Amino acid sequence: ICSFIHSPKGFPKLKNDTFLRAARGEETEHTPVWCMRQAGRYLPEFRETRAAQDFFATCRSPKLCCELTLQPLRRFPLDAAIIFSDILVVPQALGMEVVMVPGKGPTFTEPLKEVEDLLKLRQKVDVTAELGYVFQAITLTRHSLEGRVPLIGFSGAPWTLMSYMIEGGGSTTMAKAKSWLYRHPEASHRLLRLLADVVTDYLVGQVAAGAQALQLFESHAGHLGPEQFQDFALPYIRDIAQGVKSKLKEEALPLVPMIIFAKDAHYALRDLAHAGYEVVGLDWTIRPQEARAQTGKDVTLQGNLDPCALYAPKEKIGELVKKMLEGFGTQRYIANLGHGLYPDMSPEHVGAFVEAVHAHSRHINKH
């Protein structure tokens, strides 16, 4: 179990920087690999650690977050760790109550219904006061990793957070949230601006705490069409990249690589490639060659094996990985799934995926 070390400076020296080099577009001996939701319920040790605790209570415990972040690294030769947390800690920081309902998922006790409800939100958020527990978890985990691999911090993007805050939970249509975009465009922009400002400070705080890369999750991009994405998602995605970078400079913090993952937004790949992020994450619904053609040579791509491919026999997983690597090429590329791991997946198959990426990319690089 992770023990707390007080000085956030003096982190252990990084031994495997393959992921960071790939993110910056430098050459790598093998293609780095990590998995979204690699700290998850597919691991028996995760279920055991989480069993006794409320979900958000777990998120607020630096010790437990550290332990859950490290579990997949004990099993698999992954090239990065991602801090265990949740995107909905941001609405909580704005004063909204979110509970995890078994069998239903995250649920807001009082979602935003009317424009007036925006007044109930904290208009100025002190991220250290509200989200300091995430920063503590990052510092603790960074020490406990002992330099094995880099640690990724993350946040939800404004539109995705807004959609949860209005829907009150998951939704297949996002009709309530999208109706705001059509009926209350000004209020929608006010809310998105507030979220973008908080997310920017939150990500800067994560770097100050020890995060070595950052990923922004626009998980609900697919519910928007190109025009709404252009109006209500992309400007804030751009502002966050710009805001984080200028604040990191101001505070003399390391300029860490940033990843944008906008699920199902292939219509926006060209724009995302120019939005100020070093890495563009892809879901599984786009061909590697097509993604390369649209994003150009100046960004690294991350993705995009269909998570359900991990249900295939291990040999088949190897073939699919090889094909994926041939499609993307082994450089300026970080292997991942096109979305997170599912709870019923076999850890052995996850291991087969990770090992196949390393073996096939090394082989391709040699020849």
Side-chain angles (χ1 to χ4, degrees):
I1 292 274
C2 311
S3 58
F4 196 62
I5 298 165
H6 289 289
S7 138
K9 298 291 168 273
F11 287 125
K13 194 174 175 314
L14 186 58
K15 298 172 194 142
N16 170 5
D17 66 347
T18 315
F19 163 82
L20 294 178
R21 277 188 291 138
R24 291 191 296 255
E26 296 164 18
E27 206 170 309
T28 60
E29 299 74 60
H30 68 265
T31 297
V33 55
W34 67 280
C35 297
M36 288 184 270
R37 238 180 285 143
Q38 61 191 26
R41 285 176 293 173
Y42 74 101
L43 290 175
E45 57 270 36
F46 177 96
R47 295 196 296 272
E48 209 173 300
T49 308
R50 276 270 302 107
Q53 279 279 2
D54 163 72
F55 177 81
F56 285 108
T58 304
C59 290
R60 284 189 288 272
S61 160
K63 262 206 166 93
L64 287 174
C65 290
C66 174
E67 169 58 23
L68 293 169
T69 303
L70 294 183
Q71 284 176 350
L73 292 151
R74 295 188 191 122
R75 273 187 188 252
F76 314 117
L78 294 153
D79 293 289
I82 182 164
I83 194 68
F84 176 80
S85 184
D86 194 87
I87 64 170
L88 298 181
V89 299
V90 171
Q92 288 176 336
L94 290 168
M96 295 186 83
E97 192 188 355
V98 192
V99 292
M100 195 56 84
V101 177
K104 190 182 168 197
T107 306
F108 286 72
T109 49
E110 288 179 43
L112 305 173
K113 289 195 172 76
E114 307 302 328
V115 169
E116 298 78 61
D117 293 341
L118 294 182
L119 299 170
K120 296 180 193 167
L121 300 174
R122 279 191 189 104
Q123 301 305 306
K124 272 270 170 270
V125 175
D126 174 346
V127 290
T128 309
E130 299 302 328
L131 295 164
Y133 59 88
V134 180
F135 303 156
Q136 287 170 14
I138 287 173
T139 302
L140 176 56
T141 306
R142 176 79 191 269
H143 281 295
S144 304
L145 274 166
E146 295 172 334
R148 256 189 300 180
V149 294
L151 178 61
I152 305 168
F154 71 90
S155 174
W159 154 249
T160 295
L161 296 172
M162 170 183 170
S163 64
Y164 272 114
M165 290 159 76
I166 294 171
E167 295 290 341
S171 156
T172 49
T173 60
M174 296 290 156
K176 287 181 191 153
K178 285 179 74 177
S179 82
W180 272 55
L181 304 182
Y182 286 108
R183 285 168 40 229
H184 315 301
E186 290 83 6
S188 295
H189 280 299
R190 269 209 320 273
L191 174 54
L192 291 162
R193 167 57 47 218
L194 172 64
L195 286 162
D197 291 346
V198 176
V199 167
T200 300
D201 289 344
Y202 179 42
L203 291 172
V204 171
Q206 292 187 41
V207 176
Q212 290 154 291
L214 298 168
Q215 177 154 313
L216 190 67
F217 283 88
E218 188 71 280
S219 313
H220 295 167
H223 291 279
L224 302 175
E227 265 138 51
Q228 281 191 316
F229 188 84
Q230 209 65 17
D231 285 350
F232 295 103
L234 189 63
Y236 301 100
I237 287 171
R238 280 195 189 120
D239 287 357
I240 287 167
Q242 216 175 345
V244 167
K245 292 187 153 106
S246 67
K247 285 193 173 181
L248 291 176
K249 273 201 190 101
E250 266 165 48
E251 297 179 29
L253 289 164
L255 279 175
V256 303
M258 294 178 72
I259 308 165
I260 174 65
F261 175 62
K263 191 171 178 292
D264 298 320
H266 355 110
Y267 54 77
L269 277 185
R270 272 197 177 82
D271 290 324
L272 290 168
H274 298 107
Y277 293 77
E278 285 71 23
V279 184
V280 175
L282 304 166
D283 59 65
W284 67 93
T285 60
I286 186 154
R287 291 191 175 87
Q289 295 86 340
E290 210 170 299
R292 278 279 182 216
Q294 287 192 43
T295 53
K297 293 190 168 49
D298 298 325
V299 296
T300 292
L301 295 179
Q302 173 178 283
N304 71 338
L305 192 72
D306 179 356
C308 291
L310 297 192
Y311 293 123
K314 288 188 206 170
E315 309 69 64
K316 178 71 177 161
I317 294 172
E319 287 165 33
L320 292 166
V321 164
K322 182 170 179 273
K323 193 173 166 202
M324 181 170 82
L325 286 162
E326 286 164 353
F328 283 109
T330 59
Q331 301 299 320
R332 264 207 178 278
Y333 174 53
I334 296 161
N336 205 317
L337 303 172
H339 200 221
L341 288 160
Y342 301 150
D344 64 347
M345 286 180 164
S346 142
E348 283 68 44
H349 287 222
V350 176
F353 166 65
V354 173
E355 278 151 34
V357 170
H358 286 162
H360 287 296
S361 61
R362 282 200 174 99
H363 182 80
I364 294 168
N365 285 346
K366 274 205 188 92
H367 301 275

